Amino acid sequence: MPLSTQSQADDEQYVLVASLDNARNLSNILKAITFKDHAIFSATPNGLKVTVEESKCLQANAFIQAEIFQEYTIQEDLVGFQVNLTVLLDCLNIFGGSTVPGVSTALRMCYKGYGYPLTLFLEEGGVVTVCKINTQEPEEPIDFEFCSTNVTNKVILQSESLKEAFSELDMTSEVLQITMSPNQPYFRLSTFGNSGNAHYDYPKDSDMMELFKCNTTQTNRYKMSLLKPSTKALALSCKVSVRTDSRGILSLQYMVRNDDGQICFVEYYCCPDQEGEEE
Amino acid sequence: MICVLEGNGVKVFGKAVHALSRIGETLWLDPGVKGLALRSVNAAHSAYGCFLFSPLFFHTFSLAPASGRRGEAPQCELLTKSLLPLFRCLTSIERNVERCRISIGDRSDQVEIQFFCRHGITKTHSLRFQESEALQAVFASHLCPNVLKAPARLLSDMVLHFPVSQEEITLSTTHLKVGLRNYSEGGNDRRKMMCTQMFLHPDEFDSLQIGVDSDITFCLKELRGFLSFAESHFLQVSIRFGAAGKPVCFSVEDMVLEATVVLATLIDSDSWDSSQLNVADAPPTARCADAAELPVDLHNADSSNAADMTEWVASSQGSPTMHPPSLMQLLPQIYEPDTLHAPDKACDRASATPASTTICSLLFRALSSELDDGGCTSRLPVLACYSDMEEDMEDLSKIPSP
């Protein structure tokens, strides 16, 4: 494997080296947050976090723990840079994303530090491609100050039950309203579109409901355009946790299993739409 | 009205919505004693579809007015694009939906459609509707000289040979054979397109009764949804038609539902002759005579509707008489017989310009539960009753009967 014959000396010049036998383990999860071109990469000894933000009210994060990588070496406590996510995904799929079993693209991602491009070594079937992607000064990701102590309502659902609802959501509705309550309707998604309204109700005793902890009745509206991209993350996931805090900020956490059965997480934070009338 | 569908019934209902979505942009939900009818008409008034689900189709069916409503359940005009998404994915409906409840009248302007799914999940959709009289194509199929009956599968296999983009096809029938070929307007394109033609022996059909050799051309696109529905239920399709210019009616039925599609057919300019405008063969009726005169008058009367007028076809012979008792409706009556008063006939109306080959539009009659004075001429049954047309109709009713 050509990638592994790189000398040790070369490696020392990089502040971050991360290798994967199957680049899909990274590209698939990044697709779940690709709704904007630019992403902030934050690497720590724990792993890689990729952040995409929209209009200061939506943030999506993908976490790939260090254990997922076949090789993960980091020389500093925090390595941060910004790259064009679309370009990165194009490079990761440069061999065309074949689905032939046993054939996968191997990846070695290297970064020398501030001012240097992100270097990708990609190999499939003996053919090696080197991609160098320009990096930018990383922006500071928004801190939504969402902490578990402030969480008022939380449910964990099996993704299967939500996937259909999200794919059917009336896109003529400007908002998606989420109601969580210890009483009926327990957990409700509502849309208000051109033809009329729709409500999707999930009772607390449904066998799709893995956890139901709702203390107060809360109804919040979120812009549909902001939440629609989360459908990609939902499609990849097997479970999703939905939490709101006292301010109405929504946290969606998706548990994603990659090709090798390892678990990664994707999360979305979304601010509520301006105060409107409750349904 | 409240009705509940269970299990497979939801999928069947959804398939009917799919079939009607191929026809028109609006759909009527029309509840009545005979059941729930879904109807659709296309913009050109050259295609009409109706699915009537009898009360037996439903797990429960009740016409009782919901609280707050006066009288009977309204006829609801919905946009197809509002209703279709609810039934878009039939496989997932089959997998997930246990029951579907449709109720009209809880709120004055909304239909509520609730899906009770697996795992206790409930989906509730409230769709806004407009209360309006449903249109019903009036066509006396018993007067059609030609009747063809075949399993839907055979018809589907026949149309399979035509590309999906094929708009119109021509069905030619004689005692000896049945032919199907594609149709294109204008000779210039013939060299550029692929022409498909097939012939079947009468034995291929369950029954073939040809009174008049004919060549009828109709729109295939609007029929495909219906054929797909019929095929999935293994139903026999009856095709009733006559000479070119008269509508063709496709129908299926089983114990709990009836479905019909009525399509207008092209009048070929070559076969245009004055006898089409002659009402001598049928007992002369004031109505027919009126209709024969209508296109001319209408054309002059209201220039703003000129575009519509050119589609109308002068009445042709062989139409049902004007006497209500002798009139039989092709389509099931939804209303009590005594409320159905207006004499109806299906007159194909040809353009007043004989040189052109034109699609004939069907004649429509609004279903109305209001009792008129019972007179035949009190309202014009032959015209599609959109409210903005009513003024024209009032003008026309003043045309003296011969």
Side-chain angles (χ1 to χ4, degrees), chain A:
Chain A
M1 177 87 81
L3 296 180
S4 61
T5 59
Q6 293 256 332
S7 67
Q8 202 63 357
D10 280 347
D11 275 6
E12 278 163 11
Q13 61 185 298
Y14 295 118
V15 299
L16 173 68
V17 176
S19 297
L20 280 172
D21 285 345
N22 184 356
R24 271 205 297 273
N25 287 344
L26 179 64
S27 63
N28 279 349
I29 206 167
L30 290 182
K31 279 185 206 161
I33 60 169
T34 313
F35 51 87
K36 281 218 96 126
D37 275 346
H38 285 84
I40 306 161
F41 275 66
S42 314
T44 67
N46 289 332
L48 188 62
K49 174 171 126 172
V50 184
T51 305
V52 179
E53 286 175 352
E54 169 74 68
S55 320
K56 300 283 177 209
C57 31
L58 178 77
Q59 182 185 88
N61 298 301
F63 296 93
I64 307 107
Q65 305 91 287
E67 296 76 36
I68 306 282
F69 295 94
Q70 272 68 57
E71 180 197 351
Y72 188 86
T73 318
I74 185 166
Q75 311 281 11
E76 290 168 17
D77 283 339
L78 173 67
V79 174
F81 54 87
Q82 193 164 299
V83 287
N84 185 316
L85 192 55
T86 315
V87 171
L88 173 63
L89 276 173
D90 284 346
C91 294
L92 291 175
N93 287 309
I94 205 158
F95 288 104
S98 97
T99 50
V100 176
V103 174
S104 61
T105 307
L107 165 74
R108 192 156 192 269
M109 188 162 70
C110 309
Y111 181 62
K112 280 189 190 170
Y114 186 82
Y116 288 92
L118 180 67
T119 308
L120 306 178
F121 297 91
L122 293 140
E123 183 270 337
E124 186 177 299
V127 178
V128 180
T129 305
V130 182
C131 306
K132 291 194 179 173
I133 307 173
N134 284 343
T135 58
Q136 287 103 38
E137 183 91 39
E139 285 170 12
E140 188 70 37
I142 304 167
D143 180 1
F144 285 89
E145 291 176 6
F146 193 99
C147 57
S148 7
T149 48
N150 221 6
V151 170
T152 47
N153 291 322
K154 174 176 179 172
V155 304
I156 297 182
L157 282 159
Q158 288 195 24
S159 301
E160 190 197 320
S161 57
L162 271 184
K163 279 177 195 176
E164 208 189 289
F166 266 77
S167 65
E168 285 174 8
L169 283 180
D170 183 357
M171 293 312 293
T172 64
S173 172
E174 283 195 12
V175 296
L176 175 66
Q177 179 172 285
I178 301 183
T179 304
M180 294 169 83
S181 170
N183 310 310
Q184 291 266 11
Y186 304 117
F187 183 74
R188 169 179 278 188
L189 302 174
S190 308
T191 55
F192 311 95
N194 292 342
S195 338
N197 307 334
H199 301 297
Y200 294 81
D201 293 339
Y202 296 80
K204 67 176 181 181
D205 53 358
S206 165
D207 48 355
M208 288 278 127
M209 188 74 76
E210 292 212 352
L211 180 87
F212 186 88
K213 264 194 195 167
C214 291
N215 304 317
T216 56
T217 301
Q218 261 190 313
T219 300
N220 291 295
R221 293 184 171 198
Y222 306 93
K223 279 207 160 33
M224 185 71 86
S225 53
L226 290 179
L227 283 188
K228 193 63 180 156
S230 70
T231 316
K232 279 194 231 170
L234 181 63
L236 284 177
S237 67
C238 45
K239 278 189 213 183
V240 55
S241 106
V242 182
R243 301 178 300 166
T244 49
D245 71 1
S246 52
R247 300 164 297 170
I249 295 187
L250 177 69
S251 153
L252 299 166
Q253 291 176 316
Y254 303 93
M255 186 163 102
V256 177
R257 242 175 240 285
N258 68 13
D259 283 359
D260 299 317
Q262 297 159 309
I263 305 277
C264 294
F265 288 93
V266 173
E267 74 185 355
Y268 273 74
Y269 289 108
C270 190
C271 291
D273 205 18
Q274 76 274 4
E275 291 295 319
E277 285 175 337
E278 295 200 353
E279 175 70 5

